[in-house]
Amino acid sequence: MSEQNTPQKNIMGYEPIGKLIFKISFPIMLSMLIQAMYNIVDSIFVSWLSEEALAAVTLAFPLQNLMIAFGIGTAVGVNSLLARRLGEGNYKDAEKAGNNGLFLSFCTWLLFAIVGILFAKPFLSLFTKDAELLGMATSYSRIVLIISCGIFFEVTCERIMQATGDSIHPMITQTVGAVANIILDPIFIFTLGMGVSGAAIATVIGQLIAMALAFCFVFKNKQIHLSLKGFHPDKKIISDIYAVGVPTIITNSISTVMVSGINGILIAFSTTAVSIFGIYFKLQSFVFMPIFGLSAGLVPIIGFNYGARNRHRITETVRKGCIIGFVIMAIGFLIFQLFPEELLGMFKSSPEMDAMGIPALRIISINFMMAAISIAMGATFQAVGVGIYTMIVSIGRQLVILLPGAFILSRIAGVTGVWWSFPFAEIVGLCITIFLYIRIYRKKIRPLEE
């Protein structure tokens, strides 16, 4: 690297952990709160069209979630590798991680554009034969998949910046993109009369705006110097990225299988049950997004100090992260317990929806505090390069317990049994997470020098 590009001292190696978590995570949490708000507003606008329109977006969610799983998984792999290399002082490989991450984002976009064109309708037709419902879901899915370049590049650029200790610019990109989406939603959905397709168009425009901002910020970053001039893919770097990225992709993709399975179970009861599940997912994102933001901030802090072999700062980060996450989720739990009718009312809920949805929100939200600890501790797995542990937790919770449990309990207790399967699965997930954290602490963290 040239002298003018010599990196500044990284704050993740010396700043007090509590202050550091706040400085790194809070902007990410705030931007994800805004992102969650946009998700909720998006669904509120769609629900004003009809209950069927909301059900169509819910059916399309697994494909959209799969796309996001690939984008975030790859970006997490870049984030983890880049932070570790910076902690080691290996700036050359840190820059290679960033450049190769952008290349992988481009490749992933092409993959999902093909999925949108060829496979969206056949997939969605597995869940409904209603022509109108299928048409709305297919239209929405194709738009968000084919024009998905914005989300892939945006997420990767944001994680590159976060790995260098910059969480302000990622917050700006997400906030601007989300606000643009919220403004454009009513214009495309109602003013231009495009309905569900209009919601999808507003979404991708917001993502493209955020992508443009992210590019401007990431190429001006002072910690690393990214340049596509003379770039060629590096197999070793890509392998290191996907060592964390692939398990994360699989972990996040599992939720696609889970949501598809739950939709399949619920639609046997009614489209109202599917709509309630869709509403829950939107509402819970307002609680979970800050926790994911907290986790995104913990990964580079832990990863940097793992590379720097500072055991004390790693364990302090995990401990304080768990406490912060628990408090946030406890607040979310109380809101779901005390105000379920008001939450459903934002979506113009019918009496039938209230009767089914109020107990649903109260039952499922029991898992919030347990999930907070699992997510905060799970950041350690990604940070030290053992992303497969995150995948194990997710498989155990969602596929081994949740889906079979939802099916069995639906036969015993009807639709209420489906809601109870969520807290039961989270108990198992927390137990697995604690076991794996103890294992990784003994093998990788405890041997580090102070």
Side-chain angles (χ1 to χ4, degrees):
M1 297 178 64
S2 63
E3 186 175 342
Q4 66 181 19
N5 289 325
T6 301
Q8 301 173 347
K9 189 176 180 182
N10 199 304
I11 61 173
M12 287 183 284
Y14 66 87
E15 194 156 285
I17 292 299
K19 182 179 178 181
L20 185 60
I21 292 176
F22 181 82
K23 181 178 288 187
I24 300 296
S25 294
F26 181 74
I28 307 173
M29 293 163 67
L30 183 60
S31 64
M32 286 194 165
L33 264 176
I34 296 170
Q35 194 79 8
M37 185 181 297
Y38 124 68
N39 284 331
I40 292 174
V41 171
D42 198 52
S43 292
I44 289 174
F45 283 134
V46 169
S47 72
W48 290 355
L49 290 170
S50 66
E51 191 173 302
E52 288 71 22
L54 182 58
V57 173
T58 302
L59 289 178
F61 176 77
L63 284 174
Q64 191 176 16
N65 188 64
L66 184 66
M67 173 188 73
I68 294 171
F70 271 75
I72 291 179
T74 302
V76 166
V78 175
N79 178 284
S80 175
L81 178 61
L82 205 157
R84 281 180 279 136
R85 294 299 176 263
L86 287 176
E88 296 165 357
N90 187 346
Y91 301 106
K92 182 178 179 181
D93 276 4
E95 292 174 356
K96 283 184 179 181
N99 288 325
N100 280 270
L102 295 176
F103 168 73
L104 294 174
S105 297
F106 176 78
C107 295
T108 312
W109 165 47
L110 292 182
L111 171 65
F112 276 91
I114 294 171
V115 170
I117 294 169
L118 299 179
F119 302 110
K121 188 172 183 178
F123 172 79
L124 293 166
S125 64
L126 297 173
F127 300 95
T128 181
K129 301 302 179 185
D130 184 303
E132 183 181 5
L133 186 60
L134 179 60
M136 288 190 291
T138 301
S139 175
Y140 184 91
S141 297
R142 282 179 171 165
I143 292 170
V144 297
L145 291 174
I146 294 171
I147 316 176
S148 58
C149 55
I151 188 67
F152 289 122
F153 284 116
E154 174 200 346
V155 170
T156 298
C157 288
E158 288 170 355
R159 292 304 175 99
I160 290 172
M161 289 184 278
Q162 290 164 10
T164 67
D166 177 7
S167 57
I168 299 298
H169 287 123
M171 179 187 69
I172 293 172
T173 60
Q174 283 201 16
T175 301
V176 171
V179 170
N181 193 343
I182 291 172
I183 294 172
L184 293 173
D185 258 333
I187 296 174
F188 282 97
I189 294 173
F190 302 113
T191 306
L192 298 179
M194 299 181 71
V196 170
S197 297
I201 292 171
T203 294
V204 297
I205 291 177
Q207 292 169 353
L208 290 171
I209 292 172
M211 176 193 74
L213 271 178
F215 274 138
C216 291
F217 293 142
V218 80
F219 283 103
K220 293 180 180 179
N221 190 283
K222 295 180 180 180
Q223 286 286 326
I224 58 173
H225 176 65
L226 299 182
S227 174
L228 299 180
K229 184 178 179 180
F231 168 78
H232 63 275
D234 187 309
K235 292 182 179 179
K236 177 64 168 61
I237 294 294
I238 291 174
S239 175
D240 288 342
I241 289 173
Y242 278 133
V244 172
V246 167
T248 305
I249 289 170
I250 294 173
T251 298
N252 293 334
S253 298
I254 287 168
S255 65
T256 297
V257 178
M258 181 273 290
V259 171
S260 298
I262 296 294
N263 281 340
I265 294 170
L266 292 175
I267 205 164
F269 292 97
S270 66
T271 56
T272 299
V274 174
S275 296
I276 288 170
F277 185 51
I279 290 172
Y280 162 72
F281 246 88
K282 297 296 182 179
L283 291 172
Q284 63 95 32
S285 69
F286 202 73
V287 182
F288 274 83
M289 281 295 188
I291 302 300
F292 292 142
L294 173 66
S295 176
L298 297 180
V299 170
I301 297 172
I302 297 171
F304 183 96
N305 287 287
Y306 180 71
R309 302 186 63 81
N310 193 321
R311 183 180 68 195
H312 173 72
R313 288 178 66 82
I314 293 172
T315 55
E316 187 180 356
T317 300
V318 175
R319 178 174 58 83
K320 291 185 176 178
C322 287
I323 294 171
I324 295 169
F326 185 90
V327 171
I328 293 171
M329 284 297 210
I331 295 171
F333 169 75
L334 290 175
I335 292 172
F336 271 63
Q337 294 297 313
L338 298 176
F339 307 108
E341 188 172 0
E342 289 77 7
L343 293 174
L344 290 168
M346 294 190 299
F347 299 85
K348 290 193 172 180
S349 57
S350 63
E352 179 187 2
M353 184 177 286
D354 284 340
M356 186 183 296
I358 289 173
L361 295 186
R362 284 177 170 156
I363 292 169
I364 301 178
S365 61
I366 294 171
N367 69 13
F368 283 1
M369 283 86 80
M370 294 180 287
I373 297 174
S374 291
I375 294 169
M377 293 181 73
T380 308
F381 307 154
Q382 298 170 342
V384 303
V386 192
I388 193 170
Y389 280 9
T390 307
M391 183 181 71
I392 291 171
V393 173
S394 187
I395 290 175
R397 183 173 62 84
Q398 298 188 70
L399 298 188
V400 177
I401 302 299
L402 180 55
L403 265 185
F407 178 77
I408 294 169
L409 290 175
S410 72
R411 301 300 184 190
I412 298 172
V415 71
T416 302
V418 178
W419 314 137
W420 275 110
S421 64
F422 283 84
F424 288 148
E426 201 61 58
I427 292 172
V428 175
L430 177 59
C431 292
I432 297 173
T433 299
I434 293 173
F435 172 79
L436 292 177
Y437 177 80
I438 293 172
R439 179 181 175 88
I440 211 168
Y441 177 81
R442 290 174 177 171
K443 288 192 170 185
K444 285 181 168 288
I445 298 175
R446 188 164 61 186
L448 298 178
E449 299 174 359
E450 289 291 349

